[in-house]
Amino acid sequence: MLKVVVLVSGGGTNLQAIIDAVADGTVTNTRLVGVISNNKGVKGLERAEKAGIPAVCISPKDYSDRAQFNDALLAGVDSFEPDLVVLAGFLVKIPEAMVARYSNRIINIHPSLIPSFCGVGYYGLKVHEKALERGVKLTGATVHFVNEGMDEGPIIAQKAVEVLQDDTAEILQRRVMEQAEWLLLPKAIDDIANDRICVEDGKVKFRV
Ligand code: GRF
């Protein structure tokens, strides 16, 4: 049984997709053991509580500096003794010590087809604003392992989503969530929970 901790920062719609997929059996061999938010009072924490999952807020505002917050975040993750850490709309840089301790055991959902529109400054709505600004006809989402870089870890899966003529950033974000993020993240967790993938030479391989 894969023990999973989910990190959120806001609405938690990706967390909800995971909760629902575990509940309806789309994701198997998985137990959600905890949710951590860096922001107080967000819907992501409410979703966890409603699903009976232990939820805590570890906010940078409660620590004197970034190093203390990083230590508290890592201690908070460790306290759940997870096999996998899932970043679901988590907008805080993961401490190097956490990447090292959970090597190839942290995954992230990014709302573009990496390597497009990713890296420092590309998060949330900004990603879709840049995609519209560039005039791309296809965008999508990527689920990947987290390494020391920003959105640079081994890619697990991607799903393309059409950009339509009258899209606003908000409309496009919603379509990418519905048609890509909310499908990719649960599927990646199910693949990991059922030992279907491994990382070889920095690339994700599916066991045949
Ligand atoms: C979404 O744009 C998602 O792509 C990004 O964070 C935003 C909020 O996600 N990762 P959620 O509703 O909190 O899961």
Side-chain angles (χ1 to χ4, degrees):
M1 182 71 76
L2 190 79
K3 291 168 44 181
V4 175
V5 167
V6 183
L7 276 51
V8 300
S9 292
T13 63
N14 279 284
L15 166 66
Q16 192 62 57
I18 300 165
I19 290 170
D20 295 346
V22 171
D24 72 17
T26 309
V27 171
T28 61
N29 200 24
T30 295
R31 187 155 62 90
L32 301 178
V33 295
V35 169
I36 298 175
S37 171
N38 61 303
N39 291 318
K40 295 179 171 64
V42 293
K43 192 139 172 55
L45 289 171
E46 285 172 37
R47 294 178 191 275
E49 280 144 27
K50 205 176 286 179
I53 303 166
V56 293
C57 176
I58 300 176
S59 165
K61 297 186 176 72
D62 297 336
Y63 297 91
S64 51
D65 60 33
R66 178 58 60 164
Q68 304 233 348
F69 165 73
N70 285 346
D71 292 348
L73 180 64
L74 182 49
V77 169
D78 287 347
S79 71
F80 290 110
E81 296 179 336
D83 301 304
L84 181 70
V85 181
V86 177
L87 310 183
F90 192 64
L91 303 178
V92 171
K93 181 142 177 52
I94 299 301
E96 283 175 23
M98 188 162 137
V99 174
R101 184 170 303 171
Y102 291 93
S103 175
N104 286 334
R105 292 197 293 147
I106 307 173
I107 63 174
N108 179 52
I109 184 79
H110 182 76
S112 76
L113 295 176
I114 289 175
S116 297
F117 311 116
C118 66
V120 177
Y122 286 92
Y123 56 88
L125 215 49
K126 285 187 197 296
V127 173
H128 305 291
E129 287 165 354
K130 291 295 181 188
L132 290 172
E133 198 178 295
R134 181 63 186 81
V136 295
K137 302 307 175 191
L138 279 180
T139 185
T142 302
V143 58
H144 63 94
F145 285 107
V146 172
N147 65 10
E148 56 290 335
M150 178 74 84
D151 302 329
E152 293 173 356
I155 291 173
I156 298 169
Q158 297 185 293
K159 192 168 186 304
V161 174
E162 229 184 336
V163 181
L164 302 179
Q165 191 145 305
D166 301 327
D167 275 347
T168 62
E170 290 78 4
I171 291 171
L172 183 55
Q173 177 178 51
R174 185 78 193 182
R175 187 178 311 119
V176 170
M177 291 164 107
E178 286 173 349
Q179 295 184 10
E181 296 178 42
W182 297 346
L183 302 175
L184 284 173
L185 200 47
K187 173 74 170 56
I189 294 169
D190 189 55
D191 285 338
I192 293 167
N194 293 287
D195 199 25
R196 292 192 199 102
I197 60 178
C198 60
V199 180
E200 278 174 26
D201 303 327
K203 301 280 188 307
V204 172
K205 297 269 175 32
F206 279 77
R207 300 183 204 285
V208 289

